[in-house]
Amino acid sequence: MPPHPHRPPELAWQVFRGSDAIRRGLLSRHQLRGASWVRLRQDVYADARLDRDHALACRAVLLRMPPGALIAGPSAACLHGVEHAADFTDDVHVLLPATVRADSQPGVRVHHAPVASTRDVLLAPAGTALPAGSRAAASTLPAARITSPPGTGTSPLTDRPPDTPMILAGPPPRTDPATCAWETAVWADPVKAVGVIDGLLRTGVVGRAQLAGEAARNAGRPGARRAAWVFGLTDGLAQSPPESHLRVRLMFAGLPRPAAQHPVRVSTALVLHPDLAWPEFRVAVEYDGQWHADPDRTHLDRRRLNQLVGAGWLVLHVTGRRLRTEFPALVREVRAALVARGWRP
């Protein structure tokens, strides 16, 4: 029979420094290599029962960071409840004060911020793409608010700061929702950024007024034009990330901006909300995710389609596969439908 898992109460369901656990006599080196634990990073281990998600990756990275480190950008959005913002294998974005020197390493994207009270200037990774016509520098981000004051340590990433705990207690510190939306707008690919910020809006942790305030507060800083441009592409009404991505990619392809979840009253007095719609032309696009393959869901979808067609709408359906592999053909189909209904490019 396999040995009974050995999990000291102090380490159960935790992420911890392996060297500290050994030094304190909680585990032996042999026990640390057992199936009860999983190695996440150098000298960082976790209870093997924990979910392998981005929050776990963030906790592991922070245990190798100097004091004052904050989870930022898409990683912070994930911690704020937008699960699709990042997964277990994605890079963890970390914000450090300017006085703390640390370089990015595999699985970690480090951004530095000169600190003035609780207002920071963030640095974006080199090579960040900007919207057409933008003269904002790709290497900088605007001011950010933080949820906890930064530390003053100067330890490099590879050293262990003297006050680093064995276990990271409590939720990982992160930039607030409006700030991480700004960071995401400047650091991430625009299509992905819109999906993440739509998720923040949909969960209610940030509102459009807060995004507008964040844009206005940083209007004079490098990166302002890019962030304002990305914010303008969001709406928070999409029911899934692919719907956000589809909306933005159709716009980037030169089609007019569709309305998400536009209300359509049909003959039965019901009000339906197609995923994307051009009300002026009565053209709609429905995104069919994997869950639409369920027989009951298919039955409802077909009835919904008949009701929209009966109300005079032309409805196109998009699957995840077509979005990934046949997007140019999809654009042609939507363009043809709009032109047939009176749109003039």
mmCIF file of all heavy atoms in Angstrom, residues 17 20 23-24 62-63 65-68 151-155 159-168:
data_model
loop_
_atom_site.group_PDB
_atom_site.id
_atom_site.type_symbol
_atom_site.label_atom_id
_atom_site.label_comp_id
_atom_site.label_asym_id
_atom_site.label_seq_id
_atom_site.Cartn_x
_atom_site.Cartn_y
_atom_site.Cartn_z
ATOM 1 N N ARG A 17 7.802 27.835 1.309
ATOM 2 C CA ARG A 17 9.218 27.677 0.978
ATOM 3 C C ARG A 17 9.695 26.340 1.512
ATOM 4 O O ARG A 17 9.644 26.064 2.711
ATOM 5 C CB ARG A 17 10.035 28.810 1.614
ATOM 6 C CG ARG A 17 9.661 30.220 1.162
ATOM 7 C CD ARG A 17 10.103 30.472 -0.253
ATOM 8 N NE ARG A 17 11.535 30.423 -0.390
ATOM 9 C CZ ARG A 17 12.272 31.481 -0.767
ATOM 10 N NH1 ARG A 17 11.701 32.636 -1.031
ATOM 11 N NH2 ARG A 17 13.574 31.361 -0.910
ATOM 12 N N ASP A 20 12.492 26.408 4.233
ATOM 13 C CA ASP A 20 12.019 26.772 5.569
ATOM 14 C C ASP A 20 11.309 25.610 6.242
ATOM 15 O O ASP A 20 11.456 25.385 7.447
ATOM 16 C CB ASP A 20 11.055 27.964 5.483
ATOM 17 C CG ASP A 20 11.786 29.290 5.397
ATOM 18 O OD1 ASP A 20 12.985 29.312 5.698
ATOM 19 O OD2 ASP A 20 11.163 30.286 5.006
ATOM 20 N N ARG A 23 14.001 23.391 7.457
ATOM 21 C CA ARG A 23 14.748 24.002 8.559
ATOM 22 C C ARG A 23 13.947 23.973 9.858
ATOM 23 O O ARG A 23 14.508 23.792 10.940
ATOM 24 C CB ARG A 23 15.108 25.441 8.195
ATOM 25 C CG ARG A 23 15.889 26.193 9.268
ATOM 26 C CD ARG A 23 16.342 27.554 8.769
ATOM 27 N NE ARG A 23 15.208 28.357 8.313
ATOM 28 C CZ ARG A 23 14.434 29.078 9.130
ATOM 29 N NH1 ARG A 23 14.656 29.071 10.435
ATOM 30 N NH2 ARG A 23 13.442 29.782 8.639
ATOM 31 N N ARG A 24 12.625 24.112 9.749
ATOM 32 C CA ARG A 24 11.785 24.123 10.938
ATOM 33 C C ARG A 24 11.355 22.724 11.370
ATOM 34 O O ARG A 24 10.606 22.568 12.330
ATOM 35 C CB ARG A 24 10.548 24.988 10.685
ATOM 36 C CG ARG A 24 10.894 26.436 10.394
ATOM 37 C CD ARG A 24 9.646 27.282 10.214
ATOM 38 N NE ARG A 24 9.985 28.617 9.751
ATOM 39 C CZ ARG A 24 9.109 29.617 9.618
ATOM 40 N NH1 ARG A 24 7.828 29.398 9.937
ATOM 41 N NH2 ARG A 24 9.494 30.787 9.174
ATOM 42 N N LEU A 62 5.068 35.156 -5.725
ATOM 43 C CA LEU A 62 5.253 36.156 -4.675
ATOM 44 C C LEU A 62 6.202 35.665 -3.583
ATOM 45 O O LEU A 62 6.891 36.478 -2.950
ATOM 46 C CB LEU A 62 3.906 36.535 -4.060
ATOM 47 C CG LEU A 62 3.040 37.473 -4.904
ATOM 48 C CD1 LEU A 62 1.705 37.706 -4.219
ATOM 49 C CD2 LEU A 62 3.750 38.807 -5.139
ATOM 50 N N LEU A 63 6.256 34.356 -3.352
ATOM 51 C CA LEU A 63 7.181 33.846 -2.340
ATOM 52 C C LEU A 63 8.636 33.959 -2.768
ATOM 53 O O LEU A 63 9.541 33.784 -1.947
ATOM 54 C CB LEU A 63 6.845 32.391 -2.001
ATOM 55 C CG LEU A 63 5.771 32.190 -0.938
ATOM 56 C CD1 LEU A 63 5.528 30.719 -0.696
ATOM 57 C CD2 LEU A 63 6.156 32.881 0.371
ATOM 58 N N MET A 65 9.587 36.781 -4.416
ATOM 59 C CA MET A 65 9.713 38.196 -4.701
ATOM 60 C C MET A 65 10.125 38.982 -3.462
ATOM 61 O O MET A 65 9.836 38.579 -2.332
ATOM 62 C CB MET A 65 8.371 38.734 -5.222
ATOM 63 C CG MET A 65 8.090 38.398 -6.665
ATOM 64 S SD MET A 65 9.142 39.373 -7.759
ATOM 65 C CE MET A 65 8.978 38.426 -9.274
ATOM 66 N N PRO A 66 10.769 40.128 -3.675
ATOM 67 C CA PRO A 66 11.094 41.005 -2.543
ATOM 68 C C PRO A 66 9.830 41.600 -1.933
ATOM 69 O O PRO A 66 8.753 41.555 -2.538
ATOM 70 C CB PRO A 66 11.959 42.106 -3.186
ATOM 71 C CG PRO A 66 12.370 41.574 -4.516
ATOM 72 C CD PRO A 66 11.285 40.641 -4.953
ATOM 73 N N PRO A 67 9.929 42.182 -0.750
ATOM 74 C CA PRO A 67 8.772 42.838 -0.137
ATOM 75 C C PRO A 67 8.241 43.958 -1.041
ATOM 76 O O PRO A 67 8.994 44.616 -1.745
ATOM 77 C CB PRO A 67 9.334 43.408 1.175
ATOM 78 C CG PRO A 67 10.543 42.580 1.463
ATOM 79 C CD PRO A 67 11.127 42.214 0.127
ATOM 80 N N GLY A 68 6.947 44.169 -0.986
ATOM 81 C CA GLY A 68 6.337 45.234 -1.772
ATOM 82 C C GLY A 68 5.856 44.815 -3.134
ATOM 83 O O GLY A 68 5.286 45.632 -3.862
ATOM 84 N N GLY A 151 6.934 47.984 -0.398
ATOM 85 C CA GLY A 151 8.018 47.863 0.551
ATOM 86 C C GLY A 151 9.233 48.650 0.114
ATOM 87 O O GLY A 151 9.273 49.254 -0.942
ATOM 88 N N THR A 152 10.237 48.647 0.930
ATOM 89 C CA THR A 152 11.446 49.414 0.642
ATOM 90 C C THR A 152 12.654 48.528 0.452
ATOM 91 O O THR A 152 13.771 49.011 0.358
ATOM 92 C CB THR A 152 11.725 50.398 1.787
ATOM 93 O OG1 THR A 152 11.836 49.663 3.013
ATOM 94 C CG2 THR A 152 10.588 51.399 1.920
ATOM 95 N N GLY A 153 12.471 47.213 0.410
ATOM 96 C CA GLY A 153 13.596 46.302 0.249
ATOM 97 C C GLY A 153 14.251 46.439 -1.107
ATOM 98 O O GLY A 153 13.638 46.895 -2.058
ATOM 99 N N THR A 154 15.509 46.040 -1.213
ATOM 100 C CA THR A 154 16.236 46.130 -2.474
ATOM 101 C C THR A 154 16.817 44.790 -2.876
ATOM 102 O O THR A 154 17.763 44.726 -3.643
ATOM 103 C CB THR A 154 17.374 47.160 -2.350
ATOM 104 O OG1 THR A 154 18.229 46.776 -1.274
ATOM 105 C CG2 THR A 154 16.821 48.556 -2.079
ATOM 106 N N SER A 155 16.255 43.704 -2.358
ATOM 107 C CA SER A 155 16.788 42.382 -2.670
ATOM 108 C C SER A 155 16.460 41.994 -4.096
ATOM 109 O O SER A 155 15.361 42.227 -4.571
ATOM 110 C CB SER A 155 16.192 41.341 -1.730
ATOM 111 O OG SER A 155 16.454 41.673 -0.393
ATOM 112 N N ASP A 159 17.516 36.407 -4.682
ATOM 113 C CA ASP A 159 17.886 36.312 -3.274
ATOM 114 C C ASP A 159 16.635 36.198 -2.420
ATOM 115 O O ASP A 159 15.554 36.580 -2.829
ATOM 116 C CB ASP A 159 18.677 37.545 -2.831
ATOM 117 C CG ASP A 159 20.075 37.557 -3.441
ATOM 118 O OD1 ASP A 159 20.493 36.505 -3.940
ATOM 119 O OD2 ASP A 159 20.717 38.623 -3.423
ATOM 120 N N ARG A 160 16.813 35.732 -1.239
ATOM 121 C CA ARG A 160 15.690 35.647 -0.312
ATOM 122 C C ARG A 160 15.743 36.822 0.637
ATOM 123 O O ARG A 160 16.660 36.940 1.438
ATOM 124 C CB ARG A 160 15.750 34.345 0.464
ATOM 125 C CG ARG A 160 14.569 34.237 1.407
ATOM 126 C CD ARG A 160 14.678 33.025 2.272
ATOM 127 N NE ARG A 160 13.662 33.109 3.312
ATOM 128 C CZ ARG A 160 13.675 32.353 4.389
ATOM 129 N NH1 ARG A 160 14.647 31.487 4.567
ATOM 130 N NH2 ARG A 160 12.726 32.467 5.284
ATOM 131 N N PRO A 161 14.783 37.745 0.575
ATOM 132 C CA PRO A 161 14.766 38.863 1.511
ATOM 133 C C PRO A 161 14.690 38.349 2.938
ATOM 134 O O PRO A 161 14.060 37.315 3.207
ATOM 135 C CB PRO A 161 13.486 39.627 1.124
ATOM 136 C CG PRO A 161 13.204 39.201 -0.282
ATOM 137 C CD PRO A 161 13.687 37.790 -0.379
ATOM 138 N N PRO A 162 15.311 39.061 3.875
ATOM 139 C CA PRO A 162 15.367 38.544 5.250
ATOM 140 C C PRO A 162 14.011 38.360 5.894
ATOM 141 O O PRO A 162 13.854 37.555 6.792
ATOM 142 C CB PRO A 162 16.201 39.611 5.975
ATOM 143 C CG PRO A 162 16.122 40.832 5.116
ATOM 144 C CD PRO A 162 16.018 40.331 3.705
ATOM 145 N N ASP A 163 12.992 39.143 5.470
ATOM 146 C CA ASP A 163 11.694 39.037 6.120
ATOM 147 C C ASP A 163 10.668 38.297 5.272
ATOM 148 O O ASP A 163 9.469 38.407 5.494
ATOM 149 C CB ASP A 163 11.159 40.428 6.471
ATOM 150 C CG ASP A 163 11.080 41.346 5.262
ATOM 151 O OD1 ASP A 163 11.646 40.981 4.217
ATOM 152 O OD2 ASP A 163 10.465 42.425 5.381
ATOM 153 N N THR A 164 11.133 37.522 4.258
ATOM 154 C CA THR A 164 10.202 36.762 3.445
ATOM 155 C C THR A 164 9.594 35.639 4.277
ATOM 156 O O THR A 164 10.314 34.864 4.894
ATOM 157 C CB THR A 164 10.909 36.157 2.222
ATOM 158 O OG1 THR A 164 11.399 37.210 1.415
ATOM 159 C CG2 THR A 164 9.937 35.315 1.407
ATOM 160 N N PRO A 165 8.272 35.512 4.319
ATOM 161 C CA PRO A 165 7.658 34.468 5.142
ATOM 162 C C PRO A 165 7.775 33.105 4.482
ATOM 163 O O PRO A 165 7.999 32.981 3.283
ATOM 164 C CB PRO A 165 6.190 34.908 5.213
ATOM 165 C CG PRO A 165 5.967 35.649 3.928
ATOM 166 C CD PRO A 165 7.276 36.351 3.643
ATOM 167 N N MET A 166 7.623 32.064 5.307
ATOM 168 C CA MET A 166 7.621 30.712 4.759
ATOM 169 C C MET A 166 6.343 30.467 3.964
ATOM 170 O O MET A 166 6.349 29.784 2.947
ATOM 171 C CB MET A 166 7.722 29.686 5.885
ATOM 172 C CG MET A 166 7.662 28.240 5.396
ATOM 173 S SD MET A 166 7.780 27.023 6.715
ATOM 174 C CE MET A 166 6.164 27.190 7.484
ATOM 175 N N ILE A 167 5.220 31.031 4.427
ATOM 176 C CA ILE A 167 3.912 30.847 3.799
ATOM 177 C C ILE A 167 3.326 32.218 3.495
ATOM 178 O O ILE A 167 3.419 33.133 4.320
ATOM 179 C CB ILE A 167 2.964 30.060 4.719
ATOM 180 C CG1 ILE A 167 3.472 28.623 4.918
ATOM 181 C CG2 ILE A 167 1.539 30.039 4.170
ATOM 182 C CD1 ILE A 167 2.693 27.832 5.937
ATOM 183 N N LEU A 168 2.758 32.357 2.307
ATOM 184 C CA LEU A 168 2.074 33.599 1.960
ATOM 185 C C LEU A 168 0.676 33.554 2.555
ATOM 186 O O LEU A 168 -0.180 32.807 2.110
ATOM 187 C CB LEU A 168 1.992 33.762 0.441
ATOM 188 C CG LEU A 168 1.289 35.021 -0.051
ATOM 189 C CD1 LEU A 168 2.082 36.258 0.337
ATOM 190 C CD2 LEU A 168 1.106 34.963 -1.560
#
